[in-house]
């Protein structure tokens, strides 16, 4: 966001960002790629080439910025992380080596080539994504969107894809959408096309609000692991014998983090690759936070159930009854986790 601001913000009469701003923006992106997220380098590449082509920076200047910021960033991250890991390590390079050079990213799942364009970007940008087509009419917006779209095309070559890998393009998409919406709303209202686009602009804003609310509501209800562990802590807070609870993968992936392991004397076990039958048979565990099962052994009992988001559905009253909106569209929940206790 800061690097985007540095490139975009400037005098209205200026056709290009200042050399200093470009250098700082490229330095920040280099630092982010080296220290935090290696995939940022795939966005940095097209942006640097664009800056070079448009003469925002010279080749020698680009080389200096890359070498200085890159070497300083590598030195910093290697020194800090090697200290904490007690061995020489550059974490982001380790990630690149594992996922790209060894090709292990596909072990986390493989998606279709264009899923970033057809699923992830529309979901993140929502109604703003529809304004990208309008953005193509303005050469300034085309120039703004070229690096992020190139970045999405390059990173699509990797089989494993997640929305968080391309979240960096959202600020540019929002800027392009805002400029396009302003143009649509500013057209003359004495013509039918102007009135339609004016109404469409406010329709998109309303749609954005509805989608933001629905996505936020669904997200809040989509962390059964966190709810389960919090409920478990409260439920057994007065136990005389410290519980030894096994936390399943689903629970660990949906909010059952270290921050909720409140009791030092309790054992929170997240050991993987243990079958449910082995967990039931083991005398080590006093409790389990696990996915629903068809049959619970007699030596165990269901102490509590945790529901989570399972989609949206129309209410039983149908769409003709508009007296209460929440009777028309309702969130559907289903049991996602169980808290099991040894009897």
């Amino acid at each position: 966001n800061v690097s985007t601001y540095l490139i975009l913000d400037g005098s209205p009469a200026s056709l290009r960002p200042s050399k200093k701003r470009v250098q700082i923006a490229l330095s920040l992106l280099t630092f982010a790629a080296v220290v935090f997220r290696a995939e940022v380098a795939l966005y940095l590449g097209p942006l640097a080439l664009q800056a070079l082509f448009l003469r925002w920076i010279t080749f020698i200047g680009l080389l200096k910025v890359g070498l200085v910021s890159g070497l300083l960033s590598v030195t910093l991250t290697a020194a800090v992380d090697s200290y904490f890991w007690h061995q020489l390590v550059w974490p982001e390079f380790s990630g690149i080596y594992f996922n790209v050079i060894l090709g292990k990213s596909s072990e986390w799942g493989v998606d279709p080539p264009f899923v970033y364009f057809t699923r992830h970007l529309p979901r993140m940008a929502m109604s703003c994504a529809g304004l990208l087509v309008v953005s193509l009419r303005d050469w300034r917006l085309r120039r703004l969107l070229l690096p992020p779209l190139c970045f999405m095309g390059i990173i699509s070559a990797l089989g494993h894809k997640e929305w968080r890998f391309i979240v960096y393009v959202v600020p540019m998409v929002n800027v392009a959408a805002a400029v396009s919406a302003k143009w649509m709303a500013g057209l003359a209202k004495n013509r039918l096309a102007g009135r339609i686009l004016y109404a469409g602009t406010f329709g998109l804003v309303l749609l954005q609000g509805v989608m933001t609310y629905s996505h936020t509501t669904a997200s809040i209800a989509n962390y059964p692991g966190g709810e389960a562990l919090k409920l478990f802590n409260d439920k057994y807070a007065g136990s005389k014998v410290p519980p030894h609870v096994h936390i399943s993968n689903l629970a660990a992936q949906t909010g059952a983090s270290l921050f909720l392991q409140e009791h030092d004397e309790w054992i929170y076990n997240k050991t993987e690759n243990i079958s449910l039958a082995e967990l039931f048979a083991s005398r080590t565990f006093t409790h389990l936070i696990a996915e629903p099962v068809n049959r619970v052994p007699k030596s165990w009992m269901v102490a509590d159930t945790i529901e989570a988001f399972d989609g949206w559905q129309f209410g039983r009253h149908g769409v003709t009854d508009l007296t209460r909106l929440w009777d028309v569209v309702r969130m559907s929940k289903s049991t996602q986790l169980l808290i099991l206790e040894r009897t």
Side-chain angles (χ1 to χ4, degrees):
N1 285 352
V2 176
S3 62
T4 302
Y5 160 76
L6 290 171
I7 292 176
L8 293 181
D9 186 63
S11 171
S14 177
L15 296 178
R16 65 176 63 187
S18 69
K19 180 181 177 181
K20 183 178 181 180
R21 283 176 172 267
V22 172
Q23 289 175 338
I24 296 175
L26 295 178
S27 298
L28 288 174
L29 288 173
T30 302
F31 177 79
V34 171
V35 178
F36 300 115
R37 300 296 307 183
E39 67 268 14
V40 174
L42 300 180
Y43 170 64
L44 175 62
L47 181 63
L49 290 176
Q50 184 187 59
L52 196 61
F53 178 77
L54 296 175
R55 298 182 180 179
W56 293 350
I57 192 172
T58 63
F59 178 77
I60 298 300
L62 179 62
L63 194 61
K64 288 180 179 178
V65 169
L67 287 175
V68 173
S69 58
L71 289 175
L72 288 176
S73 300
V74 170
T75 302
L76 176 63
T77 186
V80 173
D81 289 297
S82 297
Y83 171 79
F84 285 107
W85 287 96
H86 303 292
Q87 61 179 357
L88 184 61
V89 62
W90 174 9
E92 286 309 297
F93 178 77
S94 300
I96 294 174
Y97 182 77
F98 180 84
N99 291 309
V100 180
I101 298 177
L102 297 181
K104 298 291 187 178
S105 66
S106 58
E107 295 182 0
W108 302 100
V110 177
D111 291 302
F114 301 105
V115 73
Y116 283 133
F117 296 91
T118 59
R119 183 195 305 168
H120 294 311
L121 181 61
R123 283 186 176 179
M124 287 191 295
M126 293 185 282
S127 64
C128 290
L131 291 171
L132 289 181
V133 178
V134 183
S135 302
L136 298 178
R137 54 170 291 278
D138 191 325
W139 66 270
R140 296 169 302 175
L141 298 181
R142 292 196 299 270
R143 189 175 70 180
L144 169 69
L145 293 172
L146 182 59
L149 292 178
C150 288
F151 159 66
M152 289 175 60
I154 295 171
I155 202 172
S156 294
L158 291 176
H160 180 62
K161 300 173 179 66
E162 295 182 34
W163 66 267
R164 61 192 178 97
F165 296 157
I166 63 163
V167 71
Y168 323 105
V169 309
V170 174
M172 283 73 77
V173 171
N174 286 341
V175 169
V179 174
S180 299
K182 181 181 178 182
W183 172 79
M184 290 170 57
L187 293 175
K189 309 303 183 295
N190 56 355
R191 300 180 63 179
L192 179 60
R195 292 194 291 269
I196 291 176
L197 291 176
Y198 182 78
T201 302
F202 285 93
L204 287 173
V205 173
L206 178 62
L207 178 62
Q208 184 84 359
V210 172
M211 294 175 69
T212 300
Y213 174 79
S214 62
H215 285 191
T216 303
T217 305
S219 296
I220 292 173
N222 206 27
Y223 288 89
E227 292 186 27
L229 192 51
K230 184 179 184 304
L231 179 61
F232 179 81
N233 289 332
D234 295 340
K235 191 178 187 70
Y236 297 100
S239 297
K240 296 181 179 179
V241 179
H244 183 172
V245 57
H246 182 270
I247 300 170
S248 70
N249 285 343
L250 176 61
Q253 294 170 5
T254 56
S257 66
L258 291 173
F259 297 104
L260 290 176
Q261 296 183 13
E262 300 175 352
H263 303 276
D264 295 334
E265 67 277 11
W266 293 11
I267 300 177
Y268 299 89
N269 193 318
K270 295 183 179 178
T271 305
E272 299 182 43
N273 301 320
I274 304 178
S275 68
L276 199 56
E278 292 174 321
L279 290 172
F280 282 139
S282 174
R283 303 298 300 179
T284 304
F285 302 107
T286 60
H287 300 81
L288 305 176
I289 298 179
E291 290 86 348
V293 293
N294 294 327
R295 181 176 174 274
V296 178
K298 293 182 179 179
S299 56
W300 290 83
M301 60 171 284
V302 177
D304 232 313
T305 61
I306 294 87
E307 294 186 337
F309 176 75
D310 195 29
W312 296 97
Q313 64 180 11
F314 285 104
R316 59 184 178 181
H317 300 292
V319 297
T320 56
D321 183 4
L322 296 179
T323 56
R324 293 188 304 178
L325 182 60
W326 51 89
D327 281 341
V328 178
V329 181
R330 291 182 176 180
M331 179 187 292
S332 173
K333 290 186 176 183
S334 61
T335 300
Q336 301 289 330
L337 291 171
L338 301 177
I339 296 178
L340 298 167
E341 180 182 352
R342 186 184 295 278
T343 56

